[in-house]
Amino acid sequence: MDTELKLIRKVILLNGKIRKVQYLQILFNHAQKIVRMGNIRHAAGVQDVVRVLQGILWEAVQKEATKVRITLKPKTLQSLQQHIDKALVKTSIKPKPKQLSLLGNPCKNQKESSAEPILQKKEEEHPLPEPELNLPEPESIYVEKKTQSQAPELDKNQKQPTKPAVEIPSGIEALMLDMAELENTEPSENFVVQNKEVAMFLGQIERKPVHSVVMTLDAPQGTGKTRAAFQFMNAIAESGYKCLFVSLEEHPQSELFKNKRDEYLTPEAIANIKVTGELPQGYDTLNKLTPYFDAIFIDSWGKVAGGKGKMDEFRKSHNGKFMFIIYQRTVAGTMRGGADSQFDADMICKAHKGDNYTENYLYWDKNRYNAEQYIYMIYEKACIEPVSEEV
């Protein structure tokens, strides 16, 4: 059962359940995201889900509820179930259906590779418009209130538990999720990188529903940090993700930059990359540009005006991005632009400078998405296991 059918099934299972409005909002946002991406298999079913959830949330807002008991009409349940039944019957007729990929905004000119193990979604010239979200007759819901009658009956000999003096205000309670409901929140995805060498080194990078993944790279001069950034950006852009390269060390119109473009970027990747050499308002401009891209490459963070100490704030201000951030290493061996920033990153990468530039390589100081201690040879564009020093 694919993601769209799971979403429809999840809404069916909500019937008769009590759920936080915050959870329903997350589910609603996920359904809208699927519709915005276009080229979906079960368009009518997902649109029904959007309408149902929109109606429930509208009533919840009107009643100022933080939790609701959901009661779907029999007609609604039947309609949603029919979407699933029709899809399963269709699947049984076609033994080899293609799978959808919900991983962002792939390039429209990207060609499908027969050797790729994970099938990418086909692009559609005219994506589906977002449905109108007006419900003439919303579903029936009931505000869940805490009352004395709902308290569990205790044994007479059992000591009454101490009651809290003050209930948690609704505004604060909305910031929290029940531990048991974590599986019911919006599912996370992974960035699918087609270049095997880069994918092996990076690992299974999560596309977080909330906040973004940050990879930092710091190293002394002459280790090939910018060249490595070009190689990783090429692999991600070739895989269909929209990339922004903020090049503050080398201006994009310089010959040095153009030479690296010609050496490391393929035409397929170039079609998915935008570049800027200036941030007029520094950190504020960077924040305005970021929402339009899947991956952000910054060379280097120390030259982002007003960005010192704000890397953690930056990743928390945007959801589902991959941020590759280069830091220049000072003579003292610290990261220019905020040495404490490395502790806020999910992936901390460093570079080893060999006797010859062909011996320079990257290695992990920390990577939450890859337990393997691979190294990446910049000159060879290859991921290998570290060479043992034992004789």
Side-chain angles (χ1 to χ4, degrees):
M1 189 177 289
D2 61 28
T3 304
E4 295 168 33
L5 295 182
K6 288 180 181 177
L7 176 64
I8 298 170
R9 181 65 176 165
K10 188 172 291 186
V11 173
I12 293 174
L13 295 176
L14 287 176
N15 189 41
K17 303 287 180 62
I18 298 172
R19 286 290 180 266
K20 285 188 176 182
V21 173
Q22 183 185 13
Y23 165 65
L24 296 174
Q25 184 66 57
I26 292 173
L27 203 61
F28 176 68
N29 292 341
H30 182 53
Q32 280 193 313
K33 176 182 175 183
I34 293 175
V35 173
R36 284 196 300 270
M37 290 176 63
N39 195 27
I40 56 180
R41 287 183 177 180
H42 317 293
V46 177
Q47 288 174 358
D48 283 349
V49 165
V50 171
R51 293 189 184 97
V52 169
L53 291 175
Q54 208 261 351
I56 293 173
L57 288 170
W58 183 84
E59 276 201 53
V61 170
Q62 298 302 311
K63 296 181 179 181
E64 298 182 351
T66 58
K67 288 185 179 181
V68 295
R69 187 191 300 276
I70 303 159
T71 305
L72 302 178
K73 299 185 185 76
K75 194 173 182 180
T76 301
L77 288 170
Q78 183 181 5
S79 175
L80 292 174
Q81 186 61 47
Q82 283 178 350
H83 292 304
I84 295 177
D85 295 340
K86 288 179 181 179
L88 294 179
V89 169
K90 194 173 181 180
T91 302
S92 65
I93 297 173
K94 297 180 180 180
K96 295 183 179 180
K98 291 189 177 181
Q99 299 177 0
L100 290 178
S101 175
L102 302 177
L103 300 172
N105 301 309
C107 171
K108 290 185 178 181
N109 296 324
Q110 181 184 357
K111 296 181 179 179
E112 293 185 359
S113 172
S114 58
E116 175 59 25
I118 300 180
L119 298 175
Q120 301 295 321
K121 71 169 188 177
K122 292 183 179 179
E123 287 301 318
E124 185 174 67
E125 293 181 2
H126 304 289
L128 287 170
E130 291 194 31
E132 296 181 3
L133 303 179
N134 298 321
L135 273 182
E137 189 179 4
E139 302 296 334
S140 174
I141 65 171
Y142 302 93
V143 181
E144 181 70 14
K145 298 179 180 179
K146 294 180 181 179
T147 62
Q148 288 276 347
S149 61
Q150 291 178 339
E153 294 185 5
L154 298 176
D155 187 83
K156 294 180 179 180
N157 298 324
Q158 184 177 352
K159 189 177 180 181
Q160 285 279 355
T162 304
K163 295 182 179 179
V166 181
E167 279 195 31
I168 300 176
S170 59
I172 297 178
E173 187 179 16
L175 298 175
M176 298 177 285
L177 290 172
D178 290 335
M179 186 67 77
E181 292 185 357
L182 294 180
E183 286 80 9
N184 296 327
T185 57
E186 183 177 353
S188 60
E189 305 159 355
N190 290 333
F191 284 88
V192 179
V193 180
Q194 296 178 0
N195 183 295
K196 293 181 180 179
E197 301 296 329
V198 174
M200 187 182 300
F201 182 68
L202 295 179
Q204 295 292 322
I205 302 175
E206 179 184 14
R207 187 157 195 171
K208 295 182 178 180
V210 180
H211 302 162
S212 292
V213 172
V214 171
M215 172 181 171
T216 61
L217 171 59
D218 76 288
Q221 293 182 350
T223 50
K225 297 185 296 296
T226 304
R227 293 179 184 274
F230 267 91
Q231 293 175 29
F232 291 172
M233 181 169 59
N234 182 75
I236 291 174
E238 270 190 331
S239 302
Y241 298 104
K242 292 182 179 180
C243 300
L244 173 66
F245 189 13
V246 182
S247 181
L248 304 177
E249 296 292 338
E250 296 177 359
H251 197 279
Q253 294 181 349
S254 69
E255 288 302 317
L256 287 174
F257 188 93
K258 293 176 185 176
N259 290 339
K260 290 186 178 71
R261 176 201 63 185
D262 297 339
E263 182 177 357
Y264 295 110
L265 301 182
T266 63
E268 292 80 10
I270 289 174
N272 275 342
I273 300 174
K274 297 290 186 182
V275 60
T276 181
E278 300 174 2
L279 296 174
Q281 281 81 45
Y283 179 73
D284 291 338
T285 302
L286 179 62
N287 267 321
K288 292 177 182 178
L289 293 173
T290 299
Y292 300 98
F293 299 90
D294 302 307
I296 313 296
F297 293 78
I298 303 173
D299 185 12
S300 61
W301 186 264
K303 292 196 174 182
V304 177
K308 185 175 181 179
K310 290 188 176 181
M311 193 268 282
D312 192 46
E313 175 186 311
F314 179 53
R315 75 176 181 87
K316 290 181 178 179
S317 299
H318 306 280
N319 300 333
K321 313 295 182 184
F322 172 65
M323 300 171 173
F324 182 101
I325 300 176
I326 293 178
Y327 282 86
Q328 297 294 339
R329 188 179 294 178
T330 65
V331 177
T334 58
M335 296 166 61
R336 183 178 288 115
D340 57 340
S341 296
Q342 62 179 316
F343 301 106
D344 297 324
D346 305 275
M347 308 161 68
I348 301 174
C349 189
K350 297 185 179 293
H352 169 79
K353 188 173 184 178
D355 296 331
N356 186 289
Y357 73 95
T358 62
E359 300 174 357
N360 295 348
Y361 62 83
L362 307 181
Y363 64 93
W364 292 114
D365 186 52
K366 178 181 79 171
N367 186 347
R368 292 173 177 170
Y369 299 103
N370 196 348
E372 301 294 338
Q373 295 299 313
Y374 292 122
I375 64 175
Y376 184 82
M377 304 300 298
I378 301 172
Y379 179 77
E380 301 289 344
K381 303 178 187 177
C383 177
I384 63 174
E385 294 183 3
V387 179
S388 174
E389 297 182 357
E390 296 181 3
V391 179

